[in-house]
Amino acid sequence: LRCPIVPNCNYTDEYFNNIVALALKYDNIKEVNLLPYHPLGNSKLKQLGREAKYKNESFLPPEELTERALEMQLLAKKTVRVV
C-alpha cells in the first residue's frame, strides 16, 4: 500500500489511523509505504500551464515520518517504511 503524505492536505492523525485500519482489514497488504511530499512536479505543471492543487513548495523531510511509521508498524503488525 503506497500512501503519499502531503502537508496541509492529508498529514493528519485521522489519515494515518485510516491507513492502519486498511492495512489491518486486508491480509494481502503486506507492507505500507509512506511517500513524503516533494514539489518536483510543480515546474512541469507550470510548463503545461497548470497549477498544483496545493501550494507546498518545500519538501517533507522523510525523518519527520519515521516516528509515525514506527507507531503504525506496531499497530498494523505489518512493515511500514518511509520511501
Side-chain angles (χ1 to χ4, degrees), residues 6-76:
V6 182
N8 302 320
C9 183
N10 66 356
Y11 191 41
T12 65
D13 289 338
E14 179 183 9
Y15 186 72
F16 289 109
N17 291 338
N18 287 336
I19 293 170
V20 169
L22 192 63
L24 286 169
K25 183 176 180 179
Y26 297 102
D27 290 335
N28 61 334
I29 296 176
K30 303 297 182 202
E31 181 175 299
V32 176
N33 293 322
L34 301 179
L35 310 168
Y37 172 80
H38 62 78
L40 299 176
N42 289 349
S43 61
K44 183 65 148 186
L45 286 172
K46 286 178 187 173
Q47 289 174 352
L48 295 171
R50 299 172 66 188
E51 282 191 36
K53 294 182 181 175
Y54 25 85
K55 301 290 182 194
N56 293 315
E57 294 295 328
S58 60
F59 289 81
L60 176 61
E63 304 81 37
E64 200 169 313
L65 293 175
T66 302
E67 186 175 326
R68 181 72 77 154
L70 292 173
E71 292 169 7
M72 291 173 69
Q73 188 163 296
L74 291 172
L75 293 170

